[in-house]
Each structure stands twice: as C-alpha cells, then as structure tokens.
Amino acid sequence: MDLQLRGKTALVTGSTAGIGYAIAQALAAEGARVIVNGRGAATVEGVVQRLRATLGAQAQLVGCAADLGTPEGCAALTAQHPTLDILVNNLGIFEPKAFEAIGDEDWLRFFEVNVMSGVRLSRHYLPRMKGAGWGRIVFISSESALCPPAEMVHYGMTKTAQLAVARGMAETTTGTGVTVNSVLPGPTRTEGVEAFFATLAAEHGQSPEAFTQHFFAQARPTSILKRLIDPAEVAAVVAFVCSPQAAAMNGAAVRAEGGVVRCIG
C-alpha cells in the first residue's frame, strides 16, 4: 500500500531510540521528510546518519536537538520548524516506583515530559494544520492508559491524560482535513525496556529470556501475543494513522498492544 506520504513533513519527538526511532524510519521510508528529535545534538546527528545509511541517500532527514520536556525546548523547536504536516508526540519517560515513594516532583516531571510536550507542540501546530486544510497529530500513548500499572501509577496517569487530550483536540477538527489520534503500544522491545528487564532478571537470578516469560505470566497475563512487541510493528500502525489513507480515523485510540487489554471496544 502506498501511504501517500511523499512531500509531507513529519516531526517525531523523542526519536533517537525505541518506538520513536522506528516511527521516524517508517515515515522516512514512505518518502516523508522527517525531523528527528532528541536532547543532545551529537546523538541526534548520529541517528540521522544511521537512518541515512539504512534507508539510502534519497531519505529526507533533518535533526533538531531540543529538550521538549520544557517550554523553552518546545519554543526553540517550533521557531526552527514553524509548520508541519505530521506531528507524532512520542516523547515519554517511564520509571517503576512504588506509589508511596512517588513525590510531587515526580508527578510534575512525568506530566511535563509525557503530556505537556505534546500539548505545547500541538497548540502551535494544530491551528496551522487547520489553516492548511490537512494535518495529522498522533499521540503515542500505551496500554497503561487503559490498565494503569501498579508499579508506576504516575506513568499510567500521563498515558490516560494523553487519550483525553487527543480526543478533545479531535473534537475541534470538524471538517478541516486534520485528524488527531492516539496509538497504544503494549510492552515493546525498546532499549529502555530491555535494560529494565535485564536489571530485574539479574535481581531474580534469571536470564533475560526467562524473566520475560515470567513477566508475561505474572505482570501481563492477559497478553495474547506473549512476547515483547518489535518497535517496527508499532511504527507500521503509526505510519498508517499518519497517512491520507486513514482519513476516516479521528479521535480514535488505536490499540497495538498484543491483546493485553481484555475488552472489545
């Protein structure tokens, strides 16, 4: 399927690793001009070069280093790239922590990075997309938005908040050619998750493979997939949602979580 993304400009926040990197690669492979984002200039440039080596010289890629967990970082990025066709709000942090140990500073930090980065960027780009008569905004949420995890309640809160923001924004796009959706991955084999699993496996005296099996048996027993999702599998869903082919999808929470969420809707 031709996703008709040639000539479109896309920003993928937090795209130097994990799901964000896979989304940037998928959109660039479809012919979009992709802005790669991370906090460090050297890291961003390294990822741009890595993607060019993977996709070929024809890939349209540009880097933009900015800390989007701050108002100043968002302002700097929007000043450098004032207009877009596609905004993928992927930036996010996670950290397992007992609820009783989550202080005010943790709640505020998670909200700033996971929610306000997308709010601030969307507030800038949404009216411009409406004026242009076309645009795509996608929030990368999580199955934790629907099934808040006991081990990181603050993270789950931000993922649920993203769904509310995206749905509310979608209500403002009537008849504009702009859509706002969320994609909900499940447990995914990102660098961060692999490092987290390796640490826990060592603490339990298990191999990473054995601990992964334990995780799905105990922590995510409802998973139908029973394995970590590959970032490229999530990226394929996001690329479709970003495309003109997905014009009928607006205000949707699209699940790509391996069947963890045990419901029909």
Side-chain angles (χ1 to χ4, degrees), residues 154-185:
H154 53 338
Y155 171 80
M157 173 275 297
T158 64
K159 297 288 112 176
T160 304
Q162 286 179 321
L163 298 188
V165 170
R167 177 67 203 192
M169 286 172 53
E171 294 289 341
T172 76
T173 65
T174 305
T176 63
V178 179
T179 67
V180 186
N181 294 290
S182 301
V183 172
L184 285 64

Side-chain angles (χ1 to χ4, degrees), residues 106-138:
D106 289 322
W107 286 99
L108 293 171
R109 178 169 62 94
F110 269 67
F111 197 79
E112 280 283 328
V113 175
N114 292 6
V115 181
M116 289 307 298
S117 61
V119 167
R120 290 177 179 125
L121 293 174
S122 299
R123 188 167 55 207
H124 174 88
Y125 290 116
L126 180 60
R128 289 161 175 78
M129 290 179 180
K130 289 178 180 177
W134 196 91
R136 297 286 183 266
I137 297 178
V138 182

Side-chain angles (χ1 to χ4, degrees), residues 165-232:
V165 170
R167 177 67 203 192
M169 286 172 53
E171 294 289 341
T172 76
T173 65
T174 305
T176 63
V178 179
T179 67
V180 186
N181 294 290
S182 301
V183 172
L184 285 64
T188 305
R189 192 179 295 281
T190 64
E191 293 87 340
V193 168
E194 286 192 315
F196 173 53
F197 273 32
T199 300
L200 292 180
E203 291 176 357
H204 287 79
Q206 296 178 316
S207 69
E209 294 75 16
F211 182 80
T212 300
Q213 292 180 354
H214 171 80
F215 173 82
F216 283 103
Q218 300 297 322
R220 296 293 187 275
T222 56
S223 172
I224 298 172
L225 197 60
K226 293 298 182 189
R227 64 166 173 82
L228 292 172
I229 298 165
D230 189 284

Side-chain angles (χ1 to χ4, degrees), residues 4-5 14 37 68 81 107 116 129 153 168 212 217 225 261-262:
Q4 303 172 16
L5 291 176
N37 162 254
L68 301 182
H81 301 282
W107 286 99
M116 289 307 298
M129 290 179 180
V153 178
T212 300
L225 197 60
V261 180
R262 203 173 218 175

